[in-house]
Amino acid sequence: MHLVSTAVPHVAVEEWEQKLKAEAHALIQQELTQEPGVSKPRTLSELQLLLDVAERIAPNRKKFIYHPMVLLVVVAVLVLVGMTCIRIQTTEIELSATMSGFDATLGRKYQLLRNNIEAASLTVTGASKLRLPDDAGRPLSLKPQGESGLTLMVNPEPEATMPSTTIKLRPFFLPANARFGLSVASARDLAIDIKHPEVLLQADFVGPVRLDALGFDSRSVLLNAAAGLSAWSGDDSRIDIQAAQTLDCIMCLPVPISHLAFDSTDEGFDGKERIVTPFSRIISGTLVLRDLGNKEVPLRLGTPVVLGIQDGELGPASIDSEGRISIVFHGNIDRLKIGSGNNTKNLMPSYLEWVAANQKLALIWGALAFIVALTISVWNWFRG
């Protein structure tokens, strides 16, 4: 019998091993058919040699074929887990929602209100300075004595016999980086919070009006002639407006913003301590994830939403007849969470979701995987 050399060029490794096993099996069968006491030393030595060759070839085949495939599977699993757990740095969203209020920080100087708001009453709290007419109609400047600022209340004179009073708040400008808030209690009750000093507020009134100023030397002024007043905001001021008619456009033009929040708190006292309860002012809305193929996430009543804005634009904000503020926000964010406590959900897309939603990237990754598999196959063929 002629033994085949251990070097097997041009012959597949698996075929070579199978051939050796077949020859070894034939020799074993031949040995078993011999009569007892008769040995075949040459046949046994050939059998031993064949088995030794098979032992040397089997590990080589596993080294060249199985080991790279196992490594490839492990790497693929690790990459898949990493893409599932690691989230992208920024994502593009669009938010359309109705709410009872929000807070925002402006990216540039902006005019709040387009036209005068006709009010049944007007209150300015936390003013750093007031200029209003005295009993004779002459301008009078007031500054606060304490840190809480001045409070001004403008109301029609209830006992006046003259025609009804008209109070109008003029549009005013907020500087860049000013933080402000809008909140409504009804279609005619609006509150504007200003977190920036020296914002000039101006109002005009016609007819009998009572001006009550607190925080200086508490005075009340009754005027029957047309006049006006000026108020400068402090670090934390508030304007409460009871409108004479249904409010409409509050923010009438889009504006870049760097902060947007919908959370607020409700405070109460149970007889022993003050109880503060956080809540979301969102009533309803839809969150669109642009980088995930415009995936929509519905927002229900009271859904907490946390946004980390990198750059974005807040569209017009208006108040409908039911006393709800409607807004539209579009921009890039680096943080997006909904819910609170144990129910908080991070909606920033993972790299796997991002790739799956991007068809072009999916094609590129598929082509890359095919090229890698083809390369390994060709490499194994040449090594074999």
Side-chain angles (χ1 to χ4, degrees), residues 65 74 108 122 140 159 184 231 240 251 256 258 266 301 365 373 375:
I65 297 179
V74 171
R108 62 171 172 81
L122 176 67
L140 176 66
E159 299 179 0
V184 292
D240 289 288
M251 298 179 62
S258 58
D266 181 58
L301 177 65
W365 278 99
T375 302

Side-chain angles (χ1 to χ4, degrees), residues 7 30 34 50 107-108 115 118 145 155-156 180 190 193 198-199 218 223 255 263-264 279 300 308 326 339 369:
Q30 182 180 353
Q34 300 298 321
L50 288 174
R108 62 171 172 81
N115 302 309
E118 187 173 335
Q145 293 178 334
N155 294 284
F180 76 100
L190 170 67
D193 292 288
E198 302 300 321
V199 174
S218 299
L223 293 173
V255 59
D263 54 307
S264 186
F279 69 95
R300 298 178 176 82
S326 298

Side-chain angles (χ1 to χ4, degrees), residues 147-164:
E147 296 181 355
S148 58
L150 294 163
T151 298
L152 174 65
M153 294 178 287
V154 185
N155 294 284
E157 173 54 44
E159 299 179 0
T161 58
M162 296 180 63
S164 61

